[in-house]
Amino acid sequence: MNKITILIHCKDRPKIIASVTSFIAEQGGNIVYIDQHVDREQDIFFMRLESEFSSESFSTEHFKSVFETGLAKTFEMKWRIYSSEKKPKMALFVSKYDHCLYDLLGRYNSGELNLEIPFIISNHLDLKPIADSFNIPFYHIPVTKELKDEAENQQLELLENHRIDFIVLARYMQIVSGKLIDQYPNKIINIHHSFLPAFVGAKPYHSAFKRGVKIIGATSHYVTEELDAGPIIEQDVTRVSHSHAISDLIAKGRDLEKIVLANAVKLHANRKVMVFNNKTVIFS
């Protein structure tokens, strides 16, 4: 059984859904999931569709070709088609914090994440024992002001050689430059506490504690050249009170970071995120 996922966006107009579903039927496919959304303000139609093909002669490449010259051209669609046979390859970038790394590798090891992790990159050696324990190659690429350009060239070479599909910054404490972002637009996922930009700096939880905040949170988003301003994929919050110490806020915040980042990775790996004008459409 061949299964494909189709993501589409275009100007909204009549008969898009009917035309797509009819096309799938004509190609011998059975639709097992379909969802759509219309952005009324921008008049843009979005759709995600999963379809199964039982014919042994089915070819994803042939399907793409026929789709491109037919429906896609007629409706002036921006589209992507993915085969379930190919799991996306994810590269992990880390520094010294280990909570997100442990969480993602635990989920990966249990089969919860529909992806492959060819390697982990870090600007420090601290987390190498974790990578070793999960039998995942670990590359130490130091990053300094003088070596940043050389370091990113090494990173890009690894990413290209392993045909990486997307990158996850699992508390990677370095600013990613435009060189990397241009190669992976809307394919670099970051996690941070939701205090930004209200509580910037090295100790946001200390600042939040001093202000007596009642809610803390975490945000996962795609990386853009404007720091922490990329399209948001996933967010969550938890309540705190005057009875919580700074250590409690940090612990709760790290729990949120793990959950929010893992959910964002799942959504991206399962082809459930579409980006349009710095805003995401998230399908269920």
Side-chain angles (χ1 to χ4, degrees):
M1 183 72 70
N2 298 284
K3 185 175 181 179
I4 63 170
T5 299
I6 306 174
L7 299 177
I8 294 168
H9 76 266
C10 59
K11 278 288 185 182
D12 188 34
R13 55 190 281 191
K15 298 184 179 181
I16 300 176
I17 298 174
S19 298
V20 173
T21 54
S22 295
F23 177 82
I24 297 294
E26 290 167 4
Q27 297 298 314
N30 178 43
I31 296 171
V32 294
Y33 170 96
I34 185 170
D35 195 4
Q36 68 281 328
H37 168 70
V38 176
D39 185 325
R40 296 294 183 185
E41 290 187 0
Q42 302 184 80
D43 196 32
I44 300 295
F45 173 86
F46 299 88
M47 182 164 71
R48 181 180 184 275
L49 182 147
E50 294 177 10
S51 186
E52 294 177 343
F53 298 81
S54 57
S55 173
E56 293 183 2
S57 63
F58 175 81
S59 164
T60 301
E61 293 307 313
H62 174 72
F63 183 93
K64 287 181 179 179
S65 176
V66 177
F67 186 87
E68 166 66 21
T69 56
L71 282 181
K73 186 175 182 180
T74 300
F75 290 97
E76 298 181 322
M77 295 174 173
K78 301 292 184 182
W79 58 278
R80 287 170 288 165
I81 295 177
Y82 302 98
S83 170
S84 61
E85 294 179 358
K86 182 181 180 296
K87 290 185 178 181
K89 293 182 179 181
M90 175 183 78
L92 280 170
F93 282 39
V94 298
S95 289
K96 292 185 176 183
Y97 291 111
D98 62 6
H99 55 291
C100 287
L101 178 62
Y102 264 124
D103 184 73
L104 287 173
L105 293 183
R107 295 174 189 271
Y108 174 68
N109 206 41
S110 67
E112 185 179 333
L113 302 178
N114 182 41
L115 48 81
E116 297 178 15
I117 305 178
F119 61 82
I120 297 168
I121 286 177
S122 181
N123 55 325
H124 298 283
L125 284 167
D126 300 56
L127 303 186
K128 187 179 186 300
I130 300 175
D132 292 342
S133 68
F134 283 90
N135 296 314
I136 296 177
F138 181 95
Y139 294 94
H140 175 224
I141 302 178
V143 179
T144 64
K145 186 176 181 180
E146 295 75 21
L147 295 174
K148 187 173 179 65
D149 192 59
E150 181 183 335
E152 288 201 333
N153 287 336
Q154 292 180 50
Q155 293 169 353
L156 282 167
E157 184 178 358
L158 277 170
L159 295 167
E160 183 179 347
N161 289 343
H162 288 270
R163 297 182 179 180
I164 294 299
D165 295 296
F166 72 107
I167 301 165
V168 171
L169 309 182
R171 294 308 307 272
Y172 181 63
M173 308 306 287
Q174 292 287 327
I175 295 175
V176 177
S177 81
K179 183 190 296 186
L180 212 60
I181 295 169
D182 289 344
Q183 292 295 317
Y184 289 88
N186 296 322
K187 293 180 181 179
I188 305 176
I189 300 174
N190 193 21
I191 182 70
H192 65 67
H193 49 76
S194 289
F195 300 133
L196 291 174
F199 297 110
V200 298
K203 295 184 176 181
Y205 291 104
H206 292 70
S207 302
F209 177 80
K210 290 178 181 178
R211 287 286 302 274
V213 300
K214 301 298 182 275
I215 293 177
I216 62 172
T219 297
S220 189
H221 62 92
Y222 290 117
V223 175
T224 58
E225 291 204 53
E226 186 178 354
L227 189 62
D228 294 325
I232 293 171
I233 308 168
E234 179 72 8
Q235 292 179 298
D236 201 359
V237 297
T238 188
R239 297 197 68 83
V240 295
S241 72
H242 61 276
S243 64
H244 292 103
I246 293 175
S247 59
D248 297 322
L249 268 63
I250 293 173
K252 284 177 174 288
R254 287 182 177 176
D255 281 343
L256 283 174
E257 288 172 9
K258 291 186 292 186
I259 294 168
V260 169
L261 181 59
N263 287 340
V265 168
K266 287 180 191 177
L267 289 167
H268 182 92
N270 292 331
R271 323 294 191 186
K272 293 188 175 183
V273 185
M274 296 185 70
V275 179
F276 187 80
N277 287 350
N278 209 50
K279 182 179 178 182
T280 56
V281 173
I282 309 293
F283 291 102
S284 60

